[in-house]
């Protein structure tokens, strides 16, 4: 029965994602173009709660799964760059895509088609762009002062979010902490869980998971996001247009290429890899944010250059 717990947890995760801004692209856009760091800070809350839950699962049960670490190589930076560009073209990261589908923007389903194509090409070694990653040995509990300080930072951020929730009535904190807690409980017990894993299984002909729990959980994730949007009167089904659809397809493909090299999409980095204190996850996520931020900075300059008539 325990294996089926990921289904209601996934539903709750999707519902919470539909209640708060957790898209890396939107958060970076808000930072660069509006000078506000609150949405990026919200992502920090998600990471902190997920990290704290993973830490306690390890401390008290020793059964939680944590991500392996990998060597920091050039492929990591190239992959993170591709993820940033792909998310920008897609107009949403892996997490943001869930939210957009939840509001009824079904052209974002093509993001998964692009993701699947990239995974298929990478799996068949048709995209020989990246070096294979090399896992590094890890201990279960933080074994150095830096990681221990990160855990302390997680505690401080979690306490601050609770203060904002209780004292300031900031309900966004409730959604953010729910995302972090549910994600940690899912990845900590079923690390193979993710919609990318389902796509990969289909591509490789590996069949369905035991009891179809992973597949049902992925469906529950999107149903939770849809219900959340519907309750807020934000669910407006639309297929979009060819421009949006092509951006979703191309963006999903580039994000898939990046995720194959990092490895893992920004959803896994945000909710499991970084909270699990894997250094490569933090580096990849920072490179992705830097790529998106630089693109937002350069966009007005490029547009102004293109609008200037040539001298005659």
């Amino acid at each position: 029965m325990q294996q089926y717990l990921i289904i209601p947890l996934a539903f709750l995760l999707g519902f919470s994602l539909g209640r708060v801004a957790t898209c890396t692209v939107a958060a970076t856009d808000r930072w660069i173009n509006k000078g506000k760091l609150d949405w990026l800070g919200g992502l920090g809350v998600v990471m902190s709660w997920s990290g704290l839950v993973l830490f306690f699962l390890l401390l008290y049960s020793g059964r939680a799964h944590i991500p392996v670490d990998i060597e920091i190589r050039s492929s990591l930076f190239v992959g993170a760059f591709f993820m940033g560009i792909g998310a920008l073209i897609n107009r949403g990261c892996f997490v943001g895509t869930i939210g957009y589908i939840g509001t009824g923007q079904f052209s974002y389903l093509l993001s998964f088609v692009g993701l699947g194509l990239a995974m298929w090409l990478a799996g068949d070694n048709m995209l020989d762009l990246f070096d294979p990653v090399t896992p590094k040995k890890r201990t279960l509990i933080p074994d150095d002062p830096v990681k221990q300080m990160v855990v302390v930072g997680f505690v401080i951020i979690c306490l601050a979010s609770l203060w904002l929730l209780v004292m300031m009535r900031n309900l966004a904190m409730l959604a953010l902490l729910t995302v972090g807690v549910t994600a940690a409980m899912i990845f900590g017990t079923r690390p193979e869980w993710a919609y990318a894993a389902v796509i990969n299984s289909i591509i490789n002909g590996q069949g369905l998971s035991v009891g179809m729990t992973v597949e049902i959980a992925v469906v529950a994730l999107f149903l939770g996001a849809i219900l959340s949007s519907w309750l807020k009167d934000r669910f407006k089904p639309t297929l979009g247009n060819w421009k949006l659809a092509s951006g979703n397809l191309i963006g999903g493909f580039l994000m898939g290429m990046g995720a194959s090299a990092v490895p893992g999409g920004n959803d896994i980095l945000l909710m499991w890899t970084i909270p699990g204190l894997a250094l490569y996850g933090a580096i990849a996520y920072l490179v992705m944010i830097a790529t998106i931020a630089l693109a937002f900075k350069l966009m007005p300059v490029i547009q102004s250059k293109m609008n200037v008539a040539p001298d005659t």
Side-chain angles (χ1 to χ4, degrees):
M1 181 62 70
Q2 187 177 1
Q3 66 177 342
Y4 294 104
L5 287 177
I6 68 167
I7 296 174
L9 286 172
F11 181 86
L12 186 56
L13 174 60
F15 187 90
S16 300
L17 288 173
R19 292 271 140 177
V20 71
T22 49
C23 177
T24 304
V25 176
T28 307
D29 181 21
R30 186 174 174 85
W31 167 40
I32 296 298
N33 294 318
K34 296 184 179 178
K36 297 183 178 181
L37 288 167
D38 51 344
W39 287 7
L40 282 175
L43 300 182
V45 172
V46 171
M47 293 179 193
S48 298
W49 277 101
S50 182
L52 200 59
V53 171
L54 282 175
F55 177 76
F56 279 109
L57 285 175
L58 288 171
L59 190 62
Y60 289 107
S61 71
R63 298 177 181 177
H65 295 274
I66 59 172
V68 298
D69 213 341
I70 62 174
E71 294 180 3
I72 307 302
R73 307 175 71 175
S74 60
S75 58
L76 178 71
F77 295 89
V78 175
F81 172 79
F82 272 106
M83 275 204 299
I85 296 298
L88 199 64
I89 295 174
N90 187 56
R91 290 170 289 269
C93 61
F94 283 115
V95 179
T97 296
I98 298 172
Y100 287 124
I101 292 175
T103 61
Q105 299 185 52
F106 293 127
S107 68
Y108 278 86
L109 290 170
L110 288 172
S111 302
F112 301 133
V113 177
L115 171 63
L117 179 60
M119 294 175 68
W120 174 65
L121 292 174
D124 281 1
N125 296 318
M126 296 173 68
L127 287 177
D128 192 18
L129 300 176
F130 313 115
D131 298 327
V133 298
T134 304
K136 294 169 64 178
K137 231 177 139 182
R138 292 190 62 198
T139 56
L140 295 180
I141 303 299
D143 56 349
D144 64 74
V146 174
K147 289 183 178 179
Q148 290 168 0
M149 294 218 26
V150 171
V151 174
V152 172
F154 286 163
V155 173
I156 293 172
I157 293 174
C158 289
L159 290 174
S161 68
L162 286 176
W163 183 83
L164 289 170
L165 172 62
V166 176
M167 303 303 295
M168 305 300 292
R169 300 289 193 270
N170 188 337
L171 294 180
M173 293 298 118
L174 178 60
L176 290 169
L177 73 86
T178 303
V179 170
V181 170
T182 54
M185 292 178 68
I186 294 172
F187 283 111
T189 56
R190 299 291 295 272
E192 80 281 7
W193 180 87
Y195 55 74
V198 174
I199 295 174
N200 188 57
S201 295
I202 294 173
I203 291 172
N204 295 324
Q206 295 173 347
L208 303 175
S209 62
V210 178
M212 291 184 60
T213 52
V214 173
E215 293 77 11
I216 296 173
V218 170
V219 172
L221 173 76
F222 288 100
L223 288 178
I226 289 173
L227 177 61
S228 180
S229 296
W230 180 74
L231 291 174
K232 294 177 68 175
D233 197 28
R234 294 178 54 212
F235 182 67
K236 312 291 182 185
T238 177
L239 294 177
N241 53 51
W242 69 269
K243 185 176 180 181
L244 180 61
S246 59
N248 295 144
L249 182 63
I250 296 170
F253 177 76
L254 292 175
M255 287 194 295
M257 288 176 60
S260 297
V262 167
N266 78 293
D267 53 343
I268 295 176
L269 297 179
L270 174 69
M271 301 178 190
W272 186 48
T273 309
I274 299 175
L277 304 180
L279 177 61
Y280 85 90
I283 293 175
Y285 203 71
L286 288 174
V287 171
M288 178 183 174
I289 290 176
T291 301
I292 298 170
L294 182 61
F296 277 128
K297 277 288 189 182
L298 293 177
M299 275 181 189
V301 177
I302 296 173
Q303 289 173 349
S304 65
K305 294 290 186 183
M306 294 178 63
N307 291 332
V308 174
D311 295 332
T312 56

